[in-house]
Amino acid sequence: IAIDYFDVQTHANNLNAEPLLTYPYAVFLDIYLGKHPDLQIDNRSPYMDADAYYRKLNSFFDQVEAELKIPVVIAAHPKAKYGNEFGHRLCIINETSKLIIGSDLVLQHCSLSVTSALLSEKRI
């Protein structure tokens, strides 16, 4: 019986898995911030301007991609139901650990999946 946080065990299970992507990339650990139903406490009004959030986030990703010359790939939150929020960027759900292990850089804010990045000794 594992007593570690489940991300630690998932990381260990994925260390020798085939990489999902065969090119250099940065991965963003998505927490579904703009639309997460658990954060919407008061149903009368949105807790944030999701359109502005995704617009600014994509602008940041554009800068990262231009400077590092690698794409940003989205490790989508398991509850996420996205349309085109991230534009042209690849958005993959339920493969966060594998995406982190294969990445060159990890971008995140407040994601518990950062555990896998720390265990992988990735730049964060």
Side-chain angles (χ1 to χ4, degrees), residues 9-110:
Q9 190 61 47
T10 300
H11 173 80
N13 293 342
N14 286 323
L15 278 175
N16 296 316
E18 284 289 319
L20 294 176
L21 305 173
T22 58
Y23 51 84
Y25 62 92
V27 63
F28 173 65
L29 308 184
D30 172 50
I31 60 170
Y32 204 27
L33 182 60
K35 300 181 178 190
H36 199 297
D38 293 353
L39 298 175
Q40 187 67 43
I41 297 168
D42 177 359
N43 291 324
R44 290 176 292 205
S45 60
Y47 62 92
M48 66 182 292
D49 183 342
D51 291 336
Y53 168 73
Y54 289 109
R55 188 172 52 255
K56 290 176 182 182
L57 190 59
N58 280 306
S59 176
F60 170 70
F61 292 158
D62 290 343
Q63 292 175 18
V64 169
E65 290 171 337
E67 181 153 333
L68 299 180
K69 309 289 188 242
I70 59 174
V72 172
V73 175
I74 312 304
H77 186 279
K79 289 186 178 183
K81 292 179 174 66
Y82 286 126
N84 194 33
E85 286 82 353
F86 295 105
H88 66 279
R89 292 182 178 85
L90 183 59
C91 190
I92 301 174
I93 195 165
N94 292 327
E95 297 288 1
T96 300
S97 177
K98 288 180 186 175
L99 287 169
I100 291 170
I101 290 168
S103 72
D104 293 280
L105 173 69
V106 176
L107 306 170
Q108 64 94 33
H109 55 86
C110 304

